[in-house]
Amino acid sequence: MFDPNQFPITTRWPAQHPERLQLYSLPTPNGVKVSIMLEEIGLPYEAHLIDIGNNETWTPEFLTLNPNGKIPAILDPAGPDGKPLALFESGAILLYLAEKCGQLLSDHPVQRIETLQWVFFQMAAVGPMFGQLGFFHKFAGREYEDKRPLQRYQKESKRLLGVLETRLAGREWIMGNEYSIADISLLGWVRNLIGFYEARELVEFDSFPQVAAWLARGLARPAVQRGLLIPARD
């Protein structure tokens, strides 16, 4: 029997439905990967808003779940062998949920590893580069007199969009006709780049029609629309 009291994070964010998967997150590009995934696969879950603006990821309770102090993180009361599982890192969570539910990740060896390849591409390249561009373009970094960092991340973000543009030529989704965790990992970041980060003109986004069409298809999915708003902000 799962006892949520065994996990200190539940003392700060109590589980109203302890039998469900617990999501600790915020609607950021990394956070929405997991909420979109959960909405797509239909797994019951309970979402808890973690306020990074008030440094809630650095509280002792949250750090017991993710010692790296980042969202998202999950607590699955029905993990492998029926034992609770605490997990952080959005890419690892996507892989775990795909394997748990047998959805959005092919069981064909080649298709599977190629899908993971694109998830790692997002984790290692797209997320860090787009995030840095956002910092230097919109936030405190824009005040820096030295514009070389901004120029570097601008150039690299455009290059990465070009990689996606080439991949999506003749494909509906990253893996062809099959929507997958590769798409989920990337949608929030591309959306943020041209939306919240206000970098559409900076990266010449309209010169990447395949990426634009893919983004529109992804954002039209009902599960994506729901996931982008979870956890609900106050």
Side-chain angles (χ1 to χ4, degrees):
M1 174 70 80
F2 171 63
D3 180 7
N5 295 322
Q6 294 177 343
F7 295 87
I9 194 167
T10 65
T11 63
R12 189 180 182 98
W13 292 278
Q16 300 300 314
H17 303 280
E19 74 284 0
R20 300 179 186 176
L21 183 145
Q22 304 294 307
L23 169 64
Y24 306 90
S25 190
L26 189 73
T28 67
N30 283 329
V32 298
K33 294 178 201 173
V34 180
S35 52
I36 289 172
M37 180 67 175
L38 288 165
E39 288 295 318
E40 291 280 8
I41 63 180
L43 187 69
Y45 69 100
E46 181 176 351
H48 303 272
L49 181 71
I50 308 300
D51 188 350
I52 61 177
N54 286 324
N55 293 320
E56 287 188 342
T57 57
W58 298 109
T59 59
E61 296 88 353
F62 188 86
L63 289 172
T64 63
L65 194 62
N66 183 0
N68 193 36
K70 305 291 183 182
I71 59 95
I74 64 169
L75 176 57
D76 185 0
D81 300 322
K83 298 178 181 179
L85 174 69
L87 194 62
F88 64 92
E89 281 295 332
S90 56
I93 296 171
L94 287 180
L95 175 57
Y96 170 70
L97 293 174
E99 292 184 339
K100 177 183 177 74
C101 296
Q103 298 182 51
L104 302 178
L105 178 62
S106 175
D107 58 4
H108 185 280
V110 174
Q111 290 279 0
R112 181 181 185 278
I113 201 63
E114 286 186 356
T115 305
L116 295 180
Q117 163 186 264
W118 287 99
V119 173
F120 295 160
F121 167 77
Q122 181 278 304
M123 299 290 292
V126 169
M129 292 300 109
F130 286 13
Q132 292 287 359
L133 179 62
F135 174 79
F136 285 102
H137 177 59
K138 182 175 181 179
F139 299 107
R142 67 181 177 181
E143 305 299 331
Y144 293 5
E145 292 184 10
D146 187 347
K147 298 304 178 184
R148 286 175 296 181
L150 171 60
Q151 292 164 1
R152 158 153 175 70
Y153 294 119
Q154 174 192 20
K155 181 178 180 180
E156 182 64 4
S157 294
K158 287 175 63 177
R159 187 189 72 80
L160 293 171
L161 287 171
V163 173
L164 286 176
E165 181 76 6
T166 299
R167 175 64 182 182
L168 288 164
R171 292 183 174 91
E172 183 176 8
W173 304 108
I174 297 295
M175 291 305 298
N177 294 326
E178 299 296 327
Y179 176 78
S180 72
I181 60 173
D183 301 286
I184 293 175
S185 73
L186 286 156
L187 281 169
W189 277 106
V190 177
R191 172 180 178 264
N192 236 47
L193 180 68
I194 62 172
F196 185 66
Y197 291 158
E198 301 173 355
R200 187 184 196 104
E201 293 183 5
L202 189 67
V203 297
E204 300 178 0
F205 185 76
D206 293 332
S207 65
F208 302 102
Q210 303 292 339
V211 178
W214 162 84
L215 179 62
R217 285 192 294 271
L219 295 180
R221 295 178 68 90
V224 173
Q225 294 173 13
R226 295 191 301 270
L228 288 170
L229 301 176
I230 298 171
R233 297 177 185 266
D234 294 335

